[in-house]
Amino acid sequence: FELKKSNEDLAAENARLRSLLMIKTKAIPDSLVRQESGLTLHYIRANVIGNSVQQRNNFFMLDKGYRAGIKKDMGVITTDGIVGIIIDVSENYSSGISVLHKDTRVSGRIKKNNQLVNISWDGINYRLGDISHIPSHVNLVPGDTILTSGNSQIFPEGIMIGTVEYVEDEMEDLFKKGKVRFSIDYNKVIYVYVVENSSREEILRLKMSTPDE
């Protein structure tokens, strides 16, 4: 139990240091390379020049493209949480699907017990997301923190997603579901970082070649 607590404290400290090294200081360069959890992550700073929150499928546009190193399938984050995933890139601009999109599924982890859950959006309130695949035995209560799991290799591990708003009493196939209040107000996002995980392709190839049991 003490080792688990130490690991959680270390992850929290890593997240805090990452935030300090990012957007909130003008001393940060346009790109930053860091080693985190054995991965080499490249952070590319960009500005949001187009964004929507009121549609069922929302998109954003950034003022950086492939000249700055941005590619498809890179995650986009801020110091406060996750924004979305790059889907198209030109020389000087890029666009992505927001977390507020029907096709966006984010692998999350409950901070207090490391339990995996899925995060999506139902298209109603842009401040609230859906939490699904909560095992029936897991005690999840309002105020609990949900972080990125890192399993997708798109978003780094330990990025804030939001806090639990409520958990429904009804179960579906032995799983509970609930609502998460996003840590970001997506109507106010201006400054972001695009994240390149240089190990992603290697990890995905290995997953594809590993036979299912």
Side-chain angles (χ1 to χ4, degrees), residues 6-161:
S6 297
N7 288 337
E8 291 176 348
D9 291 343
L10 181 60
E13 179 66 4
N14 285 341
R16 187 186 70 84
L17 292 175
R18 176 170 50 229
S19 296
L20 291 176
L21 284 170
M22 289 170 57
I23 305 165
K24 291 184 178 177
T25 169
K26 294 181 180 179
I28 297 305
D30 283 343
S31 64
L32 178 70
V33 177
R34 286 177 54 79
Q35 289 284 336
E36 298 180 26
S37 302
L39 303 175
T40 300
L41 302 178
H42 182 201
Y43 294 91
I44 305 166
R45 187 170 60 183
N47 296 328
V48 176
I49 58 174
N51 183 37
S52 64
V53 299
Q54 301 295 345
Q55 309 300 317
R56 179 61 185 96
N57 298 317
N58 293 285
F59 299 84
F60 58 87
M61 182 172 289
L62 307 181
D63 65 348
K64 295 284 179 66
Y66 63 73
R67 286 188 61 184
I70 295 178
K71 304 173 186 176
K72 288 184 179 180
D73 297 326
M74 288 184 177
V76 181
I77 66 174
T78 74
T79 53
D80 298 316
I82 59 174
V83 175
I85 302 169
I86 298 296
I87 59 169
D88 200 9
V89 182
S90 66
E91 183 176 6
N92 297 300
Y93 300 94
S94 54
S95 62
I97 58 172
S98 167
V99 169
L100 309 177
H101 191 288
K102 69 178 180 61
D103 293 333
T104 302
R105 296 289 184 274
V106 181
S107 175
R109 194 180 296 275
I110 303 170
K111 182 179 179 181
K112 68 180 183 181
N113 57 24
N114 289 325
Q115 178 66 52
L116 290 172
V117 293
N118 289 333
I119 305 296
S120 58
W121 187 57
D122 64 5
I124 300 175
N125 185 340
Y126 71 86
R127 297 307 309 275
L128 297 177
D130 289 332
I131 315 171
S132 59
H133 290 81
I134 309 169
S136 59
H137 68 274
V138 171
N139 180 29
L140 191 63
V141 298
D144 282 348
T145 300
I146 308 293
L147 307 174
T148 54
S149 70
N151 287 356
S152 68
Q153 310 303 321
I154 293 177
F155 298 109
E157 180 183 2
I159 299 291
M160 183 73 166
I161 296 177

Side-chain angles (χ1 to χ4, degrees), residues 115-212:
Q115 178 66 52
L116 290 172
V117 293
N118 289 333
I119 305 296
S120 58
W121 187 57
D122 64 5
I124 300 175
N125 185 340
Y126 71 86
R127 297 307 309 275
L128 297 177
D130 289 332
I131 315 171
S132 59
H133 290 81
I134 309 169
S136 59
H137 68 274
V138 171
N139 180 29
L140 191 63
V141 298
D144 282 348
T145 300
I146 308 293
L147 307 174
T148 54
S149 70
N151 287 356
S152 68
Q153 310 303 321
I154 293 177
F155 298 109
E157 180 183 2
I159 299 291
M160 183 73 166
I161 296 177
T163 55
V164 175
E165 188 80 356
Y166 63 84
V167 177
E168 297 179 2
D169 294 330
E170 298 82 9
M171 287 197 301
E172 185 176 296
D173 296 329
L174 300 181
F175 289 99
K176 296 181 289 187
K177 57 185 179 179
K179 291 287 184 180
V180 59
R181 178 165 292 276
F182 292 124
S183 57
I184 292 180
D185 182 341
Y186 290 104
N187 203 30
K188 298 180 179 179
V189 177
I190 301 176
Y191 309 108
V192 299
Y193 260 72
V194 184
V195 187
E196 177 185 19
N197 176 359
S198 62
S199 304
R200 181 172 184 264
E201 291 186 6
E202 179 182 354
I203 293 172
L204 292 179
R205 282 198 303 270
L206 184 60
K207 286 183 176 180
M208 291 291 291
S209 63
T210 301
D212 294 332

